């Protein structure tokens, strides 16, 4: 499938600008800048409803959002809001009453609901989780929405720090991060699924988690990248740079 990425934004603590990401890919250690999560564009009452994961999503996606018409959002996260989910499970184990507000904000599509309300967007809001393929699955969803006639779709991939209880089983979130892409019709980007892992001698940036794997492409450092998928397949990304 083909599309264009009109603009993008990525954040982790100590790395948030294209220059900082270039330095990180070159091998420099975090922190590389001092930008912090900023959701000051929201009223205080709305900010208080955002979890740390939601704040990252709003921080990277808000500057890319359109206000002149419908713009669907595809939110993708393998692990979702595990911090809040675990707290609720502990309450259940302790036979304590659950907070309805905490439960409503813990479900996987809570962030898309808040986005729809806060931006007054009535377009489709989709939440997905697809293991290592969460980024690619979100882009596929975005392309399907473009095929329905939308001129722009926001894709946000985000993961928060995982609770200590889960860390023996979760090894793919070295740090909290969020990536936002504005996907639009076009032909300069291409995403295809490959069947054989024999074509996978490398991954361009192995120090990046799966959701940030295309940062080198976004920065123009490479024009093609092959990424290992969740099962016996791979994803081939191409950026056809106009010369």
């Amino acid at each position: 499938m083909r599309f264009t990425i009109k603009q993008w934004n990525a954040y982790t603590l100590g790395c948030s600008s294209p220059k900082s990401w270039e330095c990180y890919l070159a091998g420099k250690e975090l922190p590389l800048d001092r930008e912090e999560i900023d959701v000051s564009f929201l009223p205080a009452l709305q900010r208080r409803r955002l979890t740390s994961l939601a704040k990252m999503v709003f921080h990277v996606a808000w500057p890319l959002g359109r206000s002149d018409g419908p713009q669907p959002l595809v939110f993708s996260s393998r692990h979702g809001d595990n911090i809040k989910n675990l707290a609720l499970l502990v309450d259940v184990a302790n036979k304590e009453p659950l907070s309805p507000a905490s439960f409503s904000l813990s479900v996987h599509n809570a962030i898309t609901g808040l986005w729809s309300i806060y931006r007054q967007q009535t377009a489709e809001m989709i939440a997905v989780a697809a293991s290592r393929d969460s980024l690619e699955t979100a882009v596929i969803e975005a392309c399907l929405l473009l095929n329905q006639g939308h001129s722009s779709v926001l894709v946000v991939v985000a993961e928060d720090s995982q609770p200590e209880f889960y860390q023996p089983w979760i090894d793919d979130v070295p740090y909290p991060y969020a990536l936002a892409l504005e996907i639009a019709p076009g032909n300069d980007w291409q995403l295809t699924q490959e069947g054989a892992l024999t074509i996978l001698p490398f991954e361009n940036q192995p120090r990046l988690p799966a959701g940030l794997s295309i940062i080198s492409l976004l920065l123009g450092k490479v024009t093609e990248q092959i990424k290992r998928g969740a099962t016996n397949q791979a994803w081939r990304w191409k950026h056809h740079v106009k010369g």
Side-chain angles (χ1 to χ4, degrees), residues 140-184:
I140 290 171
E141 289 282 352
C143 290
L144 293 173
L145 289 166
L146 293 178
N147 288 340
Q148 294 178 9
H150 291 285
S151 60
S152 173
V153 179
L154 275 184
V155 168
V156 186
V157 182
E159 301 289 351
D160 202 356
S161 296
Q162 296 302 301
E164 184 177 357
F165 181 83
Y166 290 143
Q167 288 180 5
W169 299 278
I170 296 177
D171 60 359
D172 60 344
V173 187
Y175 41 75
Y177 67 85
L179 169 68
L181 309 169
E182 184 186 5
I183 306 291

Side-chain angles (χ1 to χ4, degrees), residues 14-185:
C15 191
S16 55
S17 68
K19 182 178 180 180
S20 294
W21 284 110
E22 286 187 20
C23 292
Y24 182 62
L25 294 184
K28 295 187 178 180
E29 298 299 323
L30 300 175
L32 294 167
D33 62 41
R34 297 183 179 180
E35 182 175 338
E36 297 182 355
I37 295 173
D38 180 17
V39 289
S40 61
F41 46 81
L42 294 173
L45 183 61
Q46 293 181 351
R47 294 199 298 268
R48 285 197 291 269
R49 293 177 62 83
L50 299 180
T51 63
S52 56
L53 179 65
K55 287 179 180 178
M56 281 196 299
V57 170
F58 274 68
H59 174 77
V60 297
W62 198 269
L64 278 58
R66 292 178 50 181
S67 57
D68 59 347
Q71 183 185 44
L73 171 71
V74 182
F75 165 68
S76 187
S77 177
R78 178 176 186 176
H79 303 290
D81 221 326
N82 270 344
I83 295 175
K84 187 171 285 293
N85 290 333
L86 180 60
L88 290 169
L89 291 173
V90 170
D91 287 342
V92 171
N94 293 332
K95 298 183 179 180
E96 296 179 0
L98 297 182
S99 163
S102 293
F103 177 78
S104 67
L105 294 175
S106 72
V107 296
H108 202 64
N109 63 347
I111 290 175
T112 63
L114 292 175
W115 179 270
S116 175
I117 295 169
Y118 292 176
R119 287 206 68 105
Q120 298 183 345
Q121 268 288 347
T122 58
E124 291 91 332
M125 301 285 144
I126 298 173
V128 299
S131 187
R132 285 179 52 88
D133 302 334
S134 290
L135 169 61
E136 288 75 19
T137 302
V139 170
I140 290 171
E141 289 282 352
C143 290
L144 293 173
L145 289 166
L146 293 178
N147 288 340
Q148 294 178 9
H150 291 285
S151 60
S152 173
V153 179
L154 275 184
V155 168
V156 186
V157 182
E159 301 289 351
D160 202 356
S161 296
Q162 296 302 301
E164 184 177 357
F165 181 83
Y166 290 143
Q167 288 180 5
W169 299 278
I170 296 177
D171 60 359
D172 60 344
V173 187
Y175 41 75
Y177 67 85
L179 169 68
L181 309 169
E182 184 186 5
I183 306 291

Side-chain angles (χ1 to χ4, degrees), residues 8 17-19 21-22 25 214-222:
W8 64 278
S17 68
K19 182 178 180 180
W21 284 110
E22 286 187 20
L25 294 184
I214 63 169
I215 289 289
S216 55
L217 284 161
L218 293 167
L219 291 170
K221 298 300 180 182
V222 296

